Amino acid sequence: MSSVQAVADDPHRLGHRQDTRRAGPSKRIVVGYGFWIFLLSDIVMFSAFFATYAVLADRRAGGPGGSDLFDLRNVGIETACLLLSSFTCGVASIGALRRRDWFYGAMAATFILGAAFLALEIREFAGLVARGAGPTRSAFLSAFFTLVGLHGLHVTAGLLWLLTMMAQTLAKGYRTDILRRMLCFSLFWHALDIIWVALFTVVYLLGVRS
Amino acid sequence: MNLLGKLSWAAVPLDQPIPMIASSVVALAIVGVLVWVVWRGWFPYLWREWITSVDHKRIGIMYIALAMVMLLRGFADAIMMRFQQAVAFRAPGFLPPEHYDQIFSAHGTLMIFFVAMPFVIGLMNFVVPLQLGVRDVAFPTFNSVGFWLTATGALLVNISLVVGEFARTSWLPYPPLSELTYSPGVGVDYYLWAIEISGAGTLIAGINLVTTILKLHAPGMTYLRMPMFCWTSLASNLLIVAAFPILTATLAMLLLDRYLGFHFFTNEAGGNMMMFMNLIWSWGHPEVYILILPAFGIFSEVVSTFSGKPLFGYRSMVIATMAICILSFIVWLHHFFTMGAGPDVNAVFGIATMVIAVPTGVKVFNWLFTMYGGRIVYTTPMLWSIGFMVTFVIGGMTGVLLAVPPADFMLHNSLFLVAHFHNVIIGGVLFGAFAGYTFWFPKAFGFRLHEGLGKAAFWCWTLGFYTAFMPLYALGLMGMTRRMQHYDVAAWHPWLLVAAAGAAIILVGIIFQVAQLVVSVRRRDELRDATGDPWNGRSLEWSIPSPPPSFNFAVLPEVEGEEAYWGVKRRQHEALGDEPEYAEIEMPRNSPTGFVCAFFATIMGFALIWYIWWLAAAAAVGAFATFVAFAWRDRNEDAIPASEVARIDRANRSARTEAFARQQVRS
């Protein structure tokens, strides 16, 4: 406890300090804050793709549109997988702090749900390409594949990160710097959910109606 | 399957003398420097102290060094263009069209992405933590990654000189010209991958500095006590965080069009090329403010220091800075009024553009009022600042003129526009960078730059600028469009000769700058800054030795008002307070992560440009492995013992006490 206290008092270990009220924020806060800024920038990038999709949504070049292509049942299962994985990710981050015996199970569940989401998405993409509705067919499909695929790429990166985190806690234990990374990972994973909700609404729900 | 993708010996332009000579000179210089460094046994020092350094000061200095080298390269392009246009009246000139097109594209790309950007990011990196009174930025290793990724981008652009070609599509690759159909070569791919990679580096720098400015401060350094440069840096980095992802997204779409046959910006299958203009400029307009805002901060520091007065209207300056930060996002359409969005849309964006002139005007008046009644010292940084005020106001006024849509329809794509943006970028950003370079050089290296040569450089740059660019305003009004490889209008010719002479005068200015650096290094003993406070400065960076120790502050300063160090000097004329209690300081350990990661990024970029897929995949795995290796590290910090801290700080305190005593005698 005393070492924890020392870290809380002088988080950057910036030397001695007379006035504790003026202490800088802890490293955990700084790292989390910086990661939030990154996530905001990532959301700006997504919004550029969303805007592009909105501009190109009805540029079908005589090709198929959303109502011909989207299968809401498949997307519903995808959504369920992703939202559930967010829950298990939350369990994993609680586990890393308090219930270490939950950690690996919850992380593994997150991985499986994320991988299932990705598999469903890849199946959907492959199906579209097989039907001649690949990204080169029309501007609408280019924008669709890019926007949804970019989210999928983020999920892939997240899964890679997740495995690395699991290996790291296994090899190094629950060190403070690793716990900070865990905080960033869960922020990242939840942010992907938020983006997916927007994606589900703008692309699939509005797309099916068109 | 071809293991080397599109790459073959045909890619090396052995039959074109200009790029071959230029690139062999560059290659010889690089090899020469490397051989010299290894031969002198400096490589271990360079590796330990610079290449793997995570010290914000060292990284800042490396950013600026990169910018200065690239400035020479970009200027070589500029002077070739000026001389081409001077001789290409009813003649082909010495640059064939396809080469001329690459030169103006490389000039713009280099000057914005690899001169102006690293210069201001370098200055922010070096100065901001010192001004905030902290020991490093929020994410030191990340900072190193950001720098080396920027260097990767610069390297890729320069490789294009020798291997393959560069884009012929100008500094912003407008489709459909930049699509594969019309630009089948690797030039546009060089541009795209160089900017994607260096853009990631810039985003990293932005996130890092925003977090640093908003979260790390010396005790008592509240937001409204931060020096003006910190405020403008904050605004600039917020813009980086908000704007650079749009650039990444836009260029990624163009990459998908080119590599995988998507239809974002194509003529066929529903693509919309005007969307590219909208997207790229919603990054591009904030980008100009990303560049100019730090320069505004530098001028604020310089003008206040050399007028011996606090900055006039500090709070209005803060408000003006943040207003510009927001307004810069709602004016992008003025870059293409001729798109035909209609009078309503054009009017809105025209008025928004004119509104930006208001906070900028507030700033100019604040600088003037800071000087008013001050005891002005005409040092080199102050000359750059005054030169800026005159030049930038002219550039700003031509900008307001261009903001009027009907006028823009006449002047669009003409040399008037070229003159305008050089007027604000040279007269604003570059003069600011030079002012900051001269102002903080003694802090970085412990000796001042030679004043006489610095002033000579200033006068050549200023005179050269007006001689080179005022004729372009006239030419624009006479109807000359930009990027002409040759022309046959007799009336233009004399103006272009004058402009070429202006470029030559700027060249003399650059020669003076190189000479200034060489002479100053040689005479460093007489130019030595023993006090750490050569200009009688007002903010915290002047309270520590020059060059600062790796930990910056032996004891974190207690800030008790605006102008933190000026307050200390006012209170403590005779002696500093009691010696503080020194404690061990832990600083982040150096790490090769940034360099190794950039090494893989360079290979990946090169492989993607040449369609060498296996190599790109291998490099991506390498980059990932680098990060895992970094994450696996057990020791993140090195401790500097209290005795060492005490030794360094005692030297600083005695130098400072002497300086205070001297001031006392003078006053």
Side-chain angles (χ1 to χ4, degrees), chain A residues 80-153:
Chain A
C81 284
L82 205 61
L83 293 183
L84 262 178
S85 82
S86 239
F87 173 72
T88 54
C89 176
V91 173
S93 37
I94 294 172
L97 293 174
R98 275 176 232 135
R99 294 289 302 266
R100 301 268 152 95
D101 46 333
W102 291 2
F103 179 75
Y104 291 106
M107 286 292 260
T110 312
F111 181 85
I112 291 165
L113 288 165
F117 167 85
L118 214 55
L120 286 171
E121 188 164 276
I122 290 169
R123 203 185 62 167
E124 185 198 5
F125 279 12
L128 290 178
V129 173
R131 286 166 63 190
T136 53
R137 175 64 189 83
S138 66
F140 154 67
L141 281 163
S142 294
F144 164 79
F145 271 90
T146 310
L147 176 57
V148 181
L150 182 71
H151 179 268
L153 264 181

Side-chain angles (χ1 to χ4, degrees), chain B residues 575-615:
Chain B
L576 295 161
D578 295 334
E579 184 173 288
E581 205 181 300
Y582 296 109
E584 185 181 270
I585 296 175
E586 295 211 330
M587 292 300 293
R589 286 184 80 195
N590 285 352
S591 160
T593 306
F595 184 77
V596 177
C597 173
F599 170 78
F600 285 120
T602 309
I603 293 183
M604 189 169 88
F606 188 79
L608 287 167
I609 290 160
W610 291 98
Y611 292 52
I612 313 173
W613 310 121
W614 63 270
L615 188 58

